[in-house]
Amino acid sequence: MTAPLTPSPHHQPAHDPHPQVPAAPADGAATPAPYGEDGPGMKTEVRQAAVVTVVVALCGVLLGLLWLWLAPHVPLIADDQAVYLKDSEGEQAVGVDGVFTLLAVGFGALSALAVFLVSRRGGVPLVVALALGGLLGALLAWRLGIWLGPTPDVAAHARQVGKGVTFDAPLELKAKGALLAWPVAATLVHLGLTALFGPRDPEPEFEQEHGHEQAGPYPSEN
């Protein structure tokens, strides 16, 4: 008596024609990212922005001192009738505005560079802090320079020095648009540094895996 050649059902290899594939995450459900991958939270960014605003604004004290030191002096002279410009064709008044503008642009670029080196991640709070701090710093420098400079009471100053004696005119900023040089320069420099040297967002993992699967060979049917 011979044994049947057909193997027993219990000895046949298991073959699932429909292998289970891991379910993809539902639409809208993002894979949780590791801690710190997306940068600090909003509260931390707001606190950093507040510190940046205060520090940048306080730098306006240095700008005001430099403006007072480097700005050209406008000579005045008085007689019995009025006070006049000693050099009516001089460009000292224009130079006062120009020195303030150039210093403000330099302070804006340096403050943006410092903030970028401390925190290489950009963000709306930091940009707003740079712009607001720069504007406050420019206002502080303007008022400080006027306060520490020659007295704004020209008539009293002329009576004090006497007739025919040359004295300096009060420090004035006639082009008020120069106050925007600091915030504009800081914003543009910081945005440029972030675009050139800031961190890049990684490509989504799902797209990388999907593209790799499409580029691979087709599975054999044997």
Side-chain angles (χ1 to χ4, degrees):
M1 185 175 182
T2 60
L5 298 177
T6 304
S8 174
H10 297 287
H11 297 284
Q12 291 182 355
H15 177 68
D16 190 357
H18 303 286
Q20 295 182 354
V21 179
D27 294 340
T31 304
Y35 176 78
E37 184 176 334
D38 294 333
M42 180 57 65
K43 291 184 178 180
T44 303
E45 289 185 358
V46 171
R47 285 195 298 266
Q48 292 176 351
V51 173
V52 168
T53 302
V54 174
V55 173
V56 172
L58 291 178
C59 291
V61 176
L62 181 57
L63 174 59
L65 296 177
L66 288 175
W67 182 44
L68 178 63
W69 178 38
L70 297 176
H73 300 281
V74 181
L76 300 178
I77 192 169
D79 57 13
D80 294 333
Q81 302 296 327
V83 179
Y84 306 95
L85 285 171
K86 186 177 181 179
D87 185 6
S88 59
E89 297 181 358
E91 299 180 353
Q92 291 88 348
V94 178
V96 172
D97 294 347
V99 169
F100 186 93
T101 303
L102 292 177
L103 289 174
V105 170
F107 270 71
L110 290 177
S111 59
L113 177 61
V115 171
F116 176 76
L117 293 178
V118 172
S119 177
R120 290 185 176 272
R121 284 184 175 272
V124 175
L126 282 181
V127 176
V128 173
L130 273 173
L132 180 59
L135 180 59
L136 294 177
L139 291 172
L140 178 60
W142 171 44
R143 300 311 302 174
L144 182 65
I146 293 177
W147 180 58
L148 295 178
T151 175
D153 192 348
V154 177
H157 197 181
R159 289 193 301 267
Q160 181 183 1
V161 299
K163 182 179 64 173
V165 178
T166 302
F167 61 97
D168 293 335
L171 199 61
E172 294 180 347
L173 187 65
K174 295 183 178 180
K176 297 302 186 293
L179 296 173
L180 300 177
W182 187 340
V184 171
T187 302
L188 293 179
V189 171
H190 187 269
L191 290 177
L193 290 174
T194 304
L196 293 175
F197 307 106
R200 298 292 188 269
D201 294 333
E203 296 182 3
E205 184 178 354
F206 175 75
E207 293 183 1
Q208 292 179 354
E209 293 180 355
H210 185 65
H212 179 71
E213 290 177 0
Q214 289 183 349
Y218 291 99
S220 175
E221 299 193 9
N222 292 335

